[in-house]
Amino acid sequence: MGFKPLKLLAFLLGGLSAVMGAGALYLYATFDGARLAAELTQSLRQQTQRTVRLDGPVALSLFPRLSLRLPATTVSDPRSDGAFLAFERAELRVGLWPLLSRRVAIEAVELQGPQLTLRRRRDGAVNTDDLAALLQGQEGDTALPLTADVHRLVVHDGRVDWLDEAGGRRLGVTGLTLETDDLASQSVGRLSLTGHLRGDSPNVEVDLRVASDYRLDAVGGRHALRHLSLSAVGVLAGRGDLEARASLDELAWVTGGELVVKGAAGDLRARAAEGAPVLHLATPDLRLTANGPVAATVDADARWGSEAEGGRLTARLSDLQARAAGISVTADLRTGDDRLNLQGRGAGDWRAAESLAQLRGVVLEGTWTRRGGASSPVRAGADLQVDTARGSAGGTVDLRIDGSRINGTWALSRFAPWAGRFELEADRLDADRLFAATGDRWDLSGLHGFDVDGQLRIGSLRAAGLQFERVRLPLSLHGGRLVSRGHAAGLYGGAVAGNFTLVADGNKAFYTGQINGVSLDPLLRDATGREALSGTLNAFVDVATAAGRRSALAGALAGKGRFVLGHGAVRGIDPFAALREWQAAIAARRGARRTFRDAEQAGLTEWSGSFGIERGVVSSADLQARSAQWRASGHGVLDLAAGRIDVQQRLTVLALPPGAEGIALASLRGATLPVRVTGPLGRAEWLLEPSSGVQSAPPGGPGAGRGPADGGRR
């Protein structure tokens, strides 16, 4: 090959370069930025009835690349002064030859500080509807002098707001950065996006990151995102410090058609809390059609707590169809050593026009296997309706488990945070079996993120070893506070009524209650396995506690109260048998001791007193007890955490038993003796302490001790 062809090629390239250079110099010399700005402004106003304001002329730059530089600019909504788009400055890389014919062909766009406001009005119209025709490329004299074949889009420090006037929702992204590759009508590339997402319904405030490959085909109307990854960290659904991650193999759609998702998976977890819940969702193939979602399987896996104290729920939804189809459900729930297996079917229906999803006649059956291997059958029935347009849901539930039947209704007016109401009724419920506590952790943080009110009615309830009847339990959960005001129940021939509050912040608990006419001996037998006292109890308590461990709750208890125990007995001592045994010690003014005797008891006409509680220690300065034959008064303390009692009292003999026993004790009629009761609660011993007498009462008078930790607030 000779040099002649190369010389010819060099000559042609040089000539072309000279022509282009001359064209560029001519363009630069004749370019009228003010005129171009005016033409763009006028044309856009004619086509869209939008007002465009530029704070200066459009500038042309030849180096380092041919570009148009726009000053600070605002674009209004159609036929309105409301802001649609504004930016601090913009640089548009443009083609040379179109500019020579007074048209702008955009090849790349770089925006600084753009602010875009998207608005859906109450009639359903969106403030971008009028731009659809322009984006499809109008022709004729009225068309804009503008074409776009963008090979790169860069956004710095942007903001996008979505205002839904019809639904009352607001969503926005601030600090937006966006970078893409080729955005031509038929192109492939990669995009990356970061920003801070904030919304008020649901409550969302997260740092957002998105990265994906993409394929655009405007001619065929087929588009896709591939290898998409998304992360969001912050407040999700009203719960703070959460992290959500999602990945998709492919998200494909056809203009005006259905959306197809392949290889979707996502995780939601709390970042800082140890043992916090983790939710994983996955589906290999999901189609979002106009009639609703379609999928062969959708899998869910939720875990919470530690291996020993937490639990895990795995579930699979099969044969998901858009309309009037059977749906299969399988679930496996594990909490500690308990396990619940369920499987069943229901009918599903999606009404796209009404944005309603329904599950009807869902029936799940399975087995609940408890610690130790014992098992019980479980049957659950439900109906469900979800209104995606309003963000609400409701339904009915009918659950049969461990001999109990629970049924009722529920409704959610908001999904995030959950807000709604419920009404549930159970014929019988053994809470000790169904909700047995595992581990020592006392954590109420799960109360955050709900706005729920409701009522629970139970015919017969077993809880904390006690048997309640005709339970009425109103509940209100807002702002991390679970409150029950005016709950009531039958309790061992009497009644209990009051208020309680559980507070997530600080793991606090408060209770104010009244007990009337309760038979104490069966209550103590069920609660402790022993009947240390018997009789009819009337009492009032106002207490509070806060701790991070269950075992520390009693030691942190504070409050006050009073009690009256009538027509009962104290187990473990016969006062007159003790006096007979102590006669010599009494005469000699010596101390004496009598241990707890299972076969003995001291009858009571009434025992009463007020008390205060501080750091788990109950103290009273006005204890009074009497029977037909004796009376006692004194003061004492009860350590709830240690389970020990120490009472000092003066025992006065009022009357003697008949017969020889009374004759032997005749010298003690009217005598007042210092007696101390001390030892383990329920098996304390009695001590005669004549040398010490009865010590003065604790300072502060009757009921000494601090009230609830919150000063009595409820």
Side-chain angles (χ1 to χ4, degrees):
M1 178 177 179
F3 288 102
K4 187 174 182 179
L6 292 178
K7 290 182 179 180
L8 179 61
L9 178 60
F11 175 78
L12 291 175
L13 290 176
L16 182 60
S17 299
V19 171
M20 293 181 64
L25 291 174
Y26 170 77
L27 177 65
Y28 186 76
T30 61
F31 180 78
D32 189 343
R35 180 180 178 182
L36 178 59
E39 289 181 355
L40 288 173
T41 299
Q42 182 179 2
S43 181
L44 189 60
R45 179 179 297 175
Q46 291 175 350
Q47 295 296 311
T48 66
Q49 289 77 52
R50 294 174 183 264
T51 301
V52 180
R53 293 186 178 89
L54 285 76
D55 293 347
V58 177
L60 176 66
S61 173
L62 296 179
F63 300 100
R65 55 187 177 272
L66 185 62
S67 61
L68 294 177
R69 294 179 178 175
L70 276 65
T73 302
T74 59
V75 181
S76 73
D77 277 337
R79 297 174 297 278
S80 169
D81 291 333
F84 169 68
L85 173 65
F87 52 82
E88 297 173 7
R89 60 179 177 84
E91 182 175 339
L92 284 64
R93 192 171 67 199
V94 297
L96 173 61
W97 299 118
L99 275 181
L100 293 175
S101 60
R102 298 187 181 277
R103 297 187 62 83
V104 180
I106 303 173
E107 298 177 353
V109 177
E110 184 171 352
L111 297 174
Q112 178 66 42
Q115 298 184 24
L116 175 65
T117 302
L118 304 175
R119 192 188 316 271
R120 181 166 65 184
R121 295 186 290 270
R122 297 185 182 277
D123 60 2
V126 181
N127 63 343
T128 57
D129 292 345
D130 61 306
L131 299 177
L134 294 178
L135 294 177
Q136 293 174 2
Q138 290 182 325
E139 296 181 357
D141 295 338
T142 59
L144 288 173
L146 179 69
T147 61
D149 194 15
V150 180
H151 298 294
R152 186 168 180 260
L153 171 63
V154 179
V155 174
H156 302 287
D157 194 22
R159 174 170 183 159
V160 178
D161 289 304
W162 165 254
L163 306 178
D164 186 352
E165 296 176 353
R169 298 182 177 91
R170 184 185 183 100
L171 194 67
V173 179
T174 58
L176 175 68
T177 63
L178 172 65
E179 186 169 351
T180 73
D181 293 335
D182 196 353
L183 294 178
S185 58
Q186 290 183 306
S187 58
V188 295
R190 184 166 181 81
L191 66 84
S192 62
L193 179 151
T194 63
H196 186 77
L197 177 66
R198 177 180 294 177
D200 55 10
S201 183
N203 182 19
V204 176
E205 189 165 348
V206 297
D207 291 324
L208 189 66
R209 289 183 176 274
V210 180
S212 177
D213 297 327
Y214 61 83
R215 183 189 72 243
L216 303 178
D217 183 2
V219 177
R222 297 180 178 275
H223 313 285
L225 298 176
R226 291 176 175 171
H227 312 301
L228 182 146
S229 64
L230 179 149
S231 70
V233 178
V235 177
L236 293 170
R239 297 176 179 267
D241 202 25
L242 294 183
E243 179 179 9
R245 293 186 179 276
S247 62
L248 302 176
D249 290 344
E250 183 176 76
L251 175 64
W253 68 97
V254 178
T255 303
E258 64 185 33
L259 195 68
V260 178
V261 180
K262 295 183 179 295
D267 293 283
L268 177 64
R269 70 181 69 215
R271 301 180 69 202
E274 181 180 356
V278 178
L279 174 63
H280 176 78
L281 296 172
T283 179
D285 195 342
L286 173 68
R287 291 188 295 118
L288 301 177
T289 70
N291 293 324
V294 178
T297 61
V298 177
D299 293 304
D301 186 349
R303 290 169 290 163
W304 60 92
S306 64
E307 190 71 24
E309 300 182 14
R312 182 173 185 177
L313 171 64
T314 58
R316 166 166 285 189
L317 192 65
S318 304
D319 306 323
L320 180 63
Q321 300 293 327
R323 182 176 293 276
I327 298 174
S328 298
V329 181
T330 60
D332 184 10
L333 172 64
R334 301 187 184 191
T335 57
D337 295 328
D338 292 356
R339 181 171 181 176
L340 177 64
N341 294 106
L342 292 172
Q343 57 184 357
R345 292 186 64 83
D349 187 17
W350 169 256
R351 303 178 188 175
E354 303 172 57
S355 300
L356 289 178
Q358 291 181 322
L359 284 176
R360 304 183 307 277
V362 177
V363 177
L364 301 176
E365 295 182 323
T367 303
W368 175 38
T369 304
R370 299 183 298 278
R371 184 180 307 175
S375 61
S376 303
V378 178
R379 187 179 189 274
D383 292 303
L384 167 68
Q385 178 171 293
V386 179
D387 187 332
T388 58
R390 292 183 174 87
S392 61
T396 63
V397 62
D398 187 351
L399 174 64
R400 303 185 186 192
I401 181 170
D402 197 36
S404 301
R405 181 175 183 179
I406 306 169
N407 59 79
T409 62
W410 60 272
L412 291 177
S413 58
R414 186 179 67 232
F415 292 143
W418 279 12
R421 294 192 57 83
F422 68 89
E423 294 283 341
L424 295 177
E425 186 170 341
D427 55 354
R428 65 179 63 89
L429 193 66
D430 189 338
D432 292 339
R433 284 165 59 88
L434 290 175
F435 311 112
T438 58
D440 193 37
R441 188 178 182 186
W442 173 255
D443 183 5
L444 301 179
S445 61
L447 298 179
H448 280 300
F450 298 94
D451 288 308
V452 179
D453 297 281
Q455 184 162 257
L456 178 62
R457 294 180 180 271
I458 307 173
S460 178
L461 169 66
R462 187 165 188 84
L466 303 181
Q467 192 69 40
F468 299 86
E469 307 293 335
R470 305 176 305 281
V471 178
R472 180 175 61 84
L473 187 63
L475 295 170
S476 179
L477 177 55
H478 300 275
R481 296 172 66 95
L482 176 62
V483 179
S484 176
R485 289 190 174 92
H487 62 259
L491 181 65
Y492 297 98
V496 59
N499 312 312
F500 74 75
T501 302
L502 300 178
V503 182
D505 295 335
N507 295 319
K508 300 175 183 177
F510 306 93
Y511 182 76
T512 302
Q514 184 82 36
I515 296 174
N516 294 308
V518 172
S519 182
L520 188 58
D521 37 338
L523 184 152
L524 291 177
R525 181 174 60 246
D526 287 348
T528 67
R530 298 191 299 271
E531 299 178 17
L533 294 169
S534 65
T536 301
L537 177 64
N538 295 280
F540 167 80
V541 293
D542 184 7
V543 295
T545 187
R549 296 178 293 110
R550 298 176 187 275
S551 58
L553 291 173
L557 195 68
K560 59 184 178 180
R562 59 181 180 272
F563 73 94
V564 177
L565 179 65
H567 305 289
V570 179
R571 311 291 188 190
I573 186 70
D574 179 346
F576 291 105
L579 291 177
R580 287 196 306 271
E581 183 179 301
W582 292 348
Q583 270 189 305
I586 293 172
R589 296 184 177 276
R590 297 195 313 267
R593 174 172 174 257
R594 186 172 178 83
T595 60
F596 184 91
R597 310 286 176 95
D598 289 307
E600 295 183 357
Q601 67 177 24
L604 287 170
T605 302
E606 183 179 279
W607 184 25
S608 65
S610 59
F611 57 86
I613 311 173
E614 186 172 358
R615 296 181 182 178
V617 177
V618 184
S619 61
S620 176
D622 59 356
L623 295 174
Q624 301 285 337
R626 62 182 176 85
S627 73
Q629 296 174 311
W630 56 269
R631 71 169 181 264
S633 62
H635 63 273
V637 296
L638 166 61
D639 190 330
L640 295 173
R644 296 186 64 83
I645 188 171
D646 189 357
V647 176
Q648 296 184 10
Q649 58 188 342
R650 288 182 179 274
L651 179 66
T652 301
V653 180
L654 301 178
L656 298 174
E661 182 181 7
I663 295 173
L665 298 174
S667 62
L668 296 179
R669 182 193 297 270
T672 298
L673 304 172
V675 177
R676 185 176 186 180
V677 182
T678 184
L681 184 62
R683 298 195 65 84
E685 61 182 11
W686 290 58
L687 304 176
L688 176 67
E689 297 185 336
S691 59
S692 64
V694 178
Q695 298 176 3
S696 59
R706 293 193 305 201
D710 70 342
R713 294 190 301 274
R714 291 290 182 269

